[in-house]
Amino acid sequence: MRDAPRPKSHNSNGGTLNAFQRRGEVIKPAELIEVRGGEKITLAARRIYNQLLSNAFGPEMAAEGQEYRIPFSELRGNHTSNDRVTEAILSLMQTVVRVRMSDGSTRNVHLLGPTDIEKFGPGIATMLTYELHPKLLPILRDSQIFARLEMQILHGFATKYGMALYEIIAKRIGLKHVYYNDFETEELRDYLGVPEGKLVSFAALRRKAIEPAVGEVNLLAPFSCRIDVIEKQGRKITKLRVSWWLKTVEEQKVQWQAQKGQQGDLFPPALPETLIEELSK
């Protein structure tokens, strides 16, 4: 089965895995952003998966049999228990998503491969060893398009819908002269991770998923956005438009200081020079 090819955003002449990942960033291949079948993945699991991708990122990320290690303390955030991390890891190992390839074809694949948990002391999990699923490796190897995600922004989201919308726009924010993307309503529902059979009416979808997601992105991201209805068939909403625009440097500075006050341990002392340069272009 083939869908329309993906629009290009950030891309690297040497492929996604040869891009430079700055400290505090997640370079996420576009193929792993707009997936279907991930509605059961919780906000915590989505955040942890991004951390695992960031930890594994590099030219050897698509190598077969490659193992990666990360302390549990980095994955549990402000929580003292490892239970939520363990549940998220199991969820990622069990979830099969439908990934759209760069050529328009699709593949059903597990997000995470085998894992091992090392324990030092009676029942204390301290280190996670993990592999990416073998069926995922060719997708990573061939990826040319990616999004740059900021870890402190990911930690600020309170809903999985907001995080998903942030990733959708971050994948496109580098496109020149492109400021919106149209989605079939059912398509955007899937990409946001709305569970099947939930928020069936558009009024419920807008109130419970779309409006909270837009609000969180506008509060946390270096860009603002809106989602508008652009097509109806009778009373049914069939197509939506996601629009975005970069915030000014001054808007970003105010936002930076506000978020730093809430998440000081995740923020560097000042707005990154690289971000200021990008906003000033």
Side-chain angles (χ1 to χ4, degrees), residues 144-280:
Q144 298 290 324
I145 308 163
F146 59 89
R148 289 188 182 275
L149 310 175
E150 297 291 336
M151 194 70 75
Q152 74 268 17
I153 293 177
L154 293 172
H155 277 274
F157 286 103
T159 72
K160 66 177 184 179
Y161 304 132
M163 184 180 294
L165 182 61
Y166 167 61
E167 294 185 10
I168 289 169
I169 298 174
K171 192 193 77 172
R172 295 172 168 83
I173 199 66
L175 285 166
K176 293 183 178 180
H177 312 299
V178 178
Y179 307 104
Y180 67 86
N181 198 91
D182 296 341
F183 296 91
E184 301 292 334
T185 303
E186 292 305 309
E187 179 185 30
L188 189 59
R189 282 176 60 93
D190 286 347
Y191 293 161
L192 292 178
V194 178
E196 186 175 355
K198 301 292 185 181
L199 311 183
V200 176
S201 71
F202 182 74
L205 177 68
R206 179 174 56 194
R207 185 175 65 255
K208 298 289 188 177
I210 291 175
E211 291 178 353
V214 169
E216 283 197 304
V217 168
N218 289 344
L219 177 67
L220 298 168
F223 44 78
S224 296
C225 69
R226 59 183 292 168
I227 298 180
D228 298 297
V229 174
I230 60 169
E231 183 181 280
K232 296 182 179 180
Q233 291 183 2
R235 299 179 63 182
K236 184 177 182 181
I237 307 298
T238 56
K239 189 170 287 187
L240 302 170
R241 173 167 293 173
V242 179
S243 306
W244 58 85
W245 57 95
L246 282 172
K247 292 174 180 173
T248 65
V249 175
E250 288 306 312
E251 287 174 331
Q252 282 243 46
K253 286 180 178 178
V254 171
Q255 174 184 302
W256 185 264
Q257 292 300 325
Q259 289 305 117
K260 183 181 176 183
Q262 298 178 24
Q263 298 173 275
D265 58 326
L266 294 172
F267 281 67
L271 192 67
E273 293 296 328
T274 52
L275 184 55
I276 294 176
E277 291 172 6
E278 288 177 8
L279 289 168
S280 302

Side-chain angles (χ1 to χ4, degrees), residues 66-67 89 93 112-116 128-134:
Q66 187 78 13
E67 291 187 340
I89 296 300
M93 292 175 65
L112 193 61
T115 63
D116 290 305
L128 174 71
T129 301
Y130 64 99
E131 297 179 31
L132 300 175
H133 196 277

